[in-house]
């Protein structure tokens, strides 16, 4: 599966880090072992940095969170997104995640976000379970 290029949404990263035995955890583990090429944007990394301190399951101080996010930056291809908007996206807050997919030319955006998943007929957007069933 190495060479398969995917975008991981923040919710997949968070779930994967918090629950290593879950499907998102297996996807994150596969990536960290070099089995996937992951594309992230500054937006996704910033969102991850904001969300992690709120999770009691992940007991990391701010410096450890920064180190974790920095380590993920070395494993991922960090890209710049465009300002183009898709007006069919129900949640405007998800525009940057969708822009990451468009700019990345990735095979999939893996997410649990229902607003993004609603566009699965238009874009290659799948749940972690669907991705794992196809490629795990």
């Amino acid at each position: 599966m190495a060479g398969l290029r995917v975008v991981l949404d923040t919710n997949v990263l968070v779930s994967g880090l918090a629950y290593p035995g879950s499907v998102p955890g297996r996807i994150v583990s596969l990536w960290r072992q070099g089995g996937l090429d992951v594309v992230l944007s500054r937006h996704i990394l910033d969102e991850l940095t904001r969300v992690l301190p709120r999770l009691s399951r992940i007991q990391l101080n701010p410096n450890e969170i920064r180190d974790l996010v920095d380590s993920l930056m070395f494993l991922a291809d960090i890209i710049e997104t465009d300002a183009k908007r898709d007006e069919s996206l129900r949640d405007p807050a998800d525009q940057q995640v969708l822009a990451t997919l468009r700019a990345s030319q990735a095979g999939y955006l893996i997410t649990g976000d229902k607003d993004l998943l609603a566009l699965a007929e238009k874009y290659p957007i799948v749940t972690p379970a669907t991705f794992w069933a196809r490629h795990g």
Side-chain angles (χ1 to χ4, degrees), residues 1-18:
M1 200 169 0
L4 182 57
R5 191 170 166 88
V6 300
V7 174
L8 299 181
D9 195 0
T10 307
N11 58 64
V12 174
L13 290 168
V14 169
S15 295
L17 294 168

Side-chain angles (χ1 to χ4, degrees), residues 31 40 42 45 66-78:
W31 165 41
L40 301 173
R42 182 43 84 191
L45 291 169
R66 193 171 324 110
D67 289 346
L68 173 63
V69 171
D70 286 348
S71 74
L72 297 180
M73 287 177 59
F74 286 109
L75 293 172
D77 183 7
I78 309 301

Side-chain angles (χ1 to χ4, degrees), residues 5-67:
R5 191 170 166 88
V6 300
V7 174
L8 299 181
D9 195 0
T10 307
N11 58 64
V12 174
L13 290 168
V14 169
S15 295
L17 294 168
Y19 302 97
S22 68
V23 172
R26 287 182 260 166
I27 292 168
V28 170
S29 177
L30 182 65
W31 165 41
R32 293 175 89 175
Q33 295 169 11
L36 279 177
D37 292 335
V38 170
V39 181
L40 301 173
S41 62
R42 182 43 84 191
H43 170 81
I44 292 171
L45 291 169
D46 289 346
E47 190 173 42
L48 182 64
T49 302
R50 284 191 312 274
V51 170
L52 285 177
R54 294 187 239 148
L55 300 175
S56 59
R57 179 137 178 109
I58 298 177
Q59 305 262 328
L60 299 175
N61 67 44
N63 288 334
E64 292 168 326
I65 290 171
R66 193 171 324 110
D67 289 346

Side-chain angles (χ1 to χ4, degrees), residues 105-125:
Q105 300 177 358
Y108 295 101
L109 165 59
I110 305 172
T111 185
D113 186 301
K114 289 181 181 17
D115 293 318
L116 287 164
L117 289 165
L119 299 179
E121 290 187 18
K122 187 174 182 180
Y123 298 99
I125 301 172

Side-chain angles (χ1 to χ4, degrees), residues 85-89 98 101 117-125:
R85 301 179 61 78
D86 186 319
E87 297 306 320
S88 62
L89 185 58
L98 188 59
L101 173 64
L117 289 165
L119 299 179
E121 290 187 18
K122 187 174 182 180
Y123 298 99
I125 301 172

